[in-house]
Amino acid sequence: MMLVVDKVEFTYRSRPVLRDIRFEVNRGELFSILGNNGAGKSTLLKCLNRILKPQTGTILIEKEDLSTLNRREVARRLGYVAQRYESGRFTVFDAVLLGRKPHIKWSATPRDLKIVQDVLQVLGMEELSLRYLDELSGGELQKVVIARALAQEPRVLLLDEPTSNLDLKNQFEVLKIVKKAAKEQNIAVVVVMHDLNLAMRFADKFLLLKNGTIFACGGMEIMTPENIASVYGVQVTVERLAGIPVVVPL
């Protein structure tokens, strides 16, 4: 098991935000966290990354307790892509190279440079290497941020709404990249998502959050009209079109 979360709870200004959160993610899995706005999805992701410190509970990566590791050691194991990020006057290559920072002691080694080149090649971004971030489209910039996280060689990749503000083509491209990284690099990927149809198309497992607690956790068997209606407050049906599950509000 790559990631084990057990009894995690987080309180902000005496208000419970997360209560008794427990789940596991295997190597090669894409695990989707779903729920309404304010359910605690982004807070949970920040607890997993030690940006926020849970009041109780344990988070294990390959049986190592995250709370015993320093920030550099955490960054070697966890890649994190936030909802919002700043673009600057960096080239794409230099921006992705920043992902090697947790591994670099004095200066970038030939191995660091090769890892960046390999990541850019895998993502089909070699032609963008010398472009500046502020010259990129939203979809291109999102791929750069994911490439930087992958350059860290993380064991767990965390993404907070990676497809928000992207058009349909880029939504699919970004999630295909993430899915491929999970399988080929044998890492665990945890993604906060809003779009149920994208989640069901790409994720292996799901966590339905409601009011800071787990409503359901598992595979496609939990993505029922009854569960979705209970979590989102909308009556839906789940149909299959060309073998692909689709949520249709009623």
Side-chain angles (χ1 to χ4, degrees):
M1 195 65 60
M2 181 62 75
L3 174 67
V4 177
V5 178
D6 187 34
K7 301 178 184 176
V8 164
E9 303 200 350
F10 180 78
T11 299
Y12 179 69
R13 293 182 178 176
S14 75
R15 182 177 70 87
V17 180
L18 298 171
R19 296 188 299 276
D20 197 23
I21 303 298
R22 313 176 191 213
F23 63 88
E24 299 177 348
V25 187
N26 287 309
R27 299 173 188 271
E29 281 185 345
L30 197 159
F31 185 89
S32 180
I33 300 174
L34 302 166
N36 269 336
N37 291 336
K41 303 185 299 298
S42 294
T43 299
L44 174 55
L45 216 60
K46 288 176 181 176
C47 286
L48 297 183
N49 197 32
R50 284 265 303 275
I51 293 173
L52 298 175
K53 184 178 179 181
Q55 276 76 29
T56 61
T58 56
I59 300 167
L60 306 178
I61 294 181
E62 292 182 308
K63 299 182 180 179
E64 283 188 290
D65 189 335
L66 219 60
S67 66
T68 66
L69 305 178
N70 62 37
R71 288 302 312 170
R72 191 181 187 90
E73 291 169 331
V74 171
R76 287 176 176 173
R77 292 160 177 80
L78 280 166
Y80 176 61
V81 176
Q83 273 189 48
R84 297 176 182 84
Y85 40 84
E86 296 295 326
S87 62
R89 204 60 183 165
F90 285 98
T91 65
V92 167
F93 190 94
D94 287 341
V96 177
L97 182 60
L98 285 174
R100 297 300 301 160
K101 188 176 179 181
H103 303 275
I104 295 172
K105 291 183 179 179
W106 302 107
S107 61
T109 65
R111 181 176 183 273
D112 295 315
L113 300 178
K114 185 175 187 308
I115 287 171
V116 173
Q117 289 172 341
D118 289 346
V119 168
L120 291 173
Q121 182 178 9
V122 167
L123 301 190
M125 297 169 59
E126 307 103 306
E127 293 183 1
L128 298 179
S129 293
L130 299 181
R131 292 266 301 276
Y132 286 97
L133 298 187
D134 56 9
E135 299 172 347
L136 302 180
S137 69
E140 290 169 337
L141 184 57
Q142 183 69 298
K143 291 173 195 174
V144 171
V145 178
I146 292 172
R148 182 170 63 199
L150 290 174
Q152 288 179 229
E153 296 185 305
R155 307 312 302 142
V156 177
L157 179 61
L158 309 174
L159 302 105
D160 196 352
E161 297 185 38
T163 59
S164 63
N165 302 317
L166 297 183
D167 60 35
L168 185 62
K169 179 176 182 286
N170 280 300
Q171 288 176 3
F172 273 74
E173 285 189 358
V174 163
L175 288 174
K176 283 178 182 176
I177 286 168
V178 170
K179 181 87 167 179
K180 184 178 180 182
K183 301 299 182 187
E184 293 187 356
Q185 299 185 24
N186 206 28
I187 63 177
V189 176
V190 180
V191 188
V192 167
M193 299 180 73
H194 271 302
D195 191 316
L196 294 176
N197 288 324
L198 284 175
M200 292 197 300
R201 190 180 183 106
F202 288 98
D204 301 296
K205 289 183 180 175
F206 312 87
L207 175 70
L208 288 171
L209 273 183
K210 183 177 182 180
N211 299 326
T213 62
I214 294 177
F215 183 85
C217 186
M220 274 298 298
E221 72 278 359
I222 74 160
M223 299 302 289
T224 64
E226 294 77 17
N227 284 350
I228 294 170
S230 294
V231 169
Y232 289 92
V234 177
Q235 295 300 314
V236 303
T237 183
V238 179
E239 306 290 344
R240 282 191 173 267
L241 297 175
I244 299 167
V246 178
V247 175
V248 181
L250 298 175

